[in-house]
Amino acid sequence: EGSRRSNLLNAAARLFREKGFEATTVRDIAGAVDMGSGSPFCHFRSKQHILGCIVQEGMAAALASVETLMAQH
């Protein structure tokens, strides 16, 4: 379950970078991970929710990196 969600987020992030947020559809994201077009909605409420999760995970990863660097000094 978690890996499918993660796969969706990774595919969405790549597609958003390549095509832009507006041009990317949920169908595009689902197709990139070999899911049916409605399947992402089992994990996310909307395309905007997917983007929010990408941003949130990116910020968490950045914060973890900064905390690791701070602990080393």
Side-chain angles (χ1 to χ4, degrees):
E1 184 71 21
S3 65
R4 292 183 60 79
R5 184 180 190 281
S6 180
N7 290 343
L8 284 166
L9 289 174
N10 289 334
R14 180 180 53 78
L15 289 167
F16 292 161
R17 278 192 310 273
E18 291 173 0
K19 297 173 63 171
F21 178 78
E22 290 297 325
T24 301
T25 65
V26 174
R27 184 179 300 254
D28 294 334
I29 297 165
V33 295
D34 296 321
M35 288 180 134
S37 60
S39 296
F41 296 110
C42 294
H43 303 276
F44 305 98
R45 292 184 303 273
S46 64
K47 185 171 79 167
Q48 290 79 5
H49 184 218
I50 295 171
L51 178 61
C53 290
I54 291 168
V55 171
Q56 196 170 34
E57 288 191 10
M59 293 300 294
L63 180 58
S65 293
V66 168
E67 287 173 345
T68 299
L69 288 172
M70 296 291 288
Q72 292 173 356
H73 290 96

